[in-house]
Amino acid sequence: MKITLVTVGKIKEKFYTDAIAEYSKRLSRYCKLEMIQVADEKTPDHASETVERQIKEKEGERILLSIKEGAYVIALAIDGDTPDSVKLSEKIAALGVGGVSQIVFIIGGSLGLADAVLKRADYKLSFSNMTFPHQLMRVILLEQIYRSYRIINGEPYHK
């Protein structure tokens, strides 16, 4: 299985890049991991709704260009499903058994995801109603994907 993370913006803090590198290394036992970062747009202070929508659309175009045909797309969205770790692992396992060869997880920019990206998504996933820094969300998502593979393979994991 190939797992792709499409994210908006670059990681600046070393502690995030270190954590991402650690989970990437751990995941290499279970899947082929690809990380795609698309450029973010600068959001002016006090931007109007129109400007914010235009920014999300520009970022959304970049995201959509990086998704390969036939990939199963999971968008992180606050209004998405909130499965526990076991349910997420079951979803990933079922997709693999069902013949899906690539899952693309999408983390939007600070304004969220464009409607076109949400429409392209096959599934919307939420980790919480709370808002997290987008850089930290990459680490949390990778940890949950790693935990999913541990569960799928009957290996110990913290409950």
Side-chain angles (χ1 to χ4, degrees):
M1 171 83 66
K2 182 176 184 179
I3 301 287
T4 303
L5 265 64
V6 178
T7 59
V8 175
K10 293 184 178 172
I11 298 280
K12 298 174 183 91
E13 290 85 357
K14 184 177 179 341
F15 56 89
Y16 288 135
T17 57
D18 289 348
I20 289 167
E22 176 62 28
Y23 281 109
S24 298
K25 183 177 86 176
R26 291 181 187 191
L27 276 165
S28 67
R29 291 183 51 206
Y30 303 104
C31 64
K32 182 175 188 224
L33 181 65
E34 176 184 33
M35 307 277 281
I36 299 172
Q37 294 182 36
V38 300
D40 58 345
E41 291 289 316
K42 298 240 183 298
T43 305
D45 291 337
H46 312 295
S48 68
E49 281 185 35
T50 302
V51 169
E52 287 187 357
R53 185 178 35 74
Q54 290 169 342
I55 289 169
K56 286 197 298 188
E57 287 172 359
K58 284 181 190 174
E59 292 173 349
E61 288 169 10
R62 293 179 189 130
I63 290 168
L64 291 171
L65 285 172
S66 65
I67 299 172
K68 300 226 179 353
E69 185 89 22
Y72 187 90
V73 176
I74 298 176
L76 273 64
I78 203 151
D79 64 339
D81 289 341
T82 53
D84 61 18
S85 297
V86 172
K87 291 284 186 218
L88 181 60
S89 72
E90 290 169 353
K91 179 149 194 78
I92 291 171
L95 289 169
V97 170
V100 171
S101 60
Q102 181 183 21
I103 300 173
V104 176
F105 289 90
I106 300 173
I107 301 174
S110 61
L111 298 175
L113 291 169
D115 288 341
V117 175
L118 293 170
K119 284 184 182 124
R120 171 60 183 90
D122 297 295
Y123 181 73
K124 292 194 296 183
L125 173 66
S126 175
F127 283 90
S128 172
N129 286 328
M130 292 185 273
T131 302
F132 295 100
H134 289 78
Q135 297 175 345
L136 177 59
M137 202 62 234
R138 295 179 205 191
V139 177
I140 294 169
L141 176 60
L142 286 171
E143 189 279 333
Q144 284 298 304
I145 296 168
Y146 171 69
R147 184 179 300 265
S148 290
Y149 276 106
R150 300 276 300 181
I151 293 167
I152 290 165
N153 288 286
E155 298 169 356
Y157 69 98
H158 295 288
K159 297 181 181 182

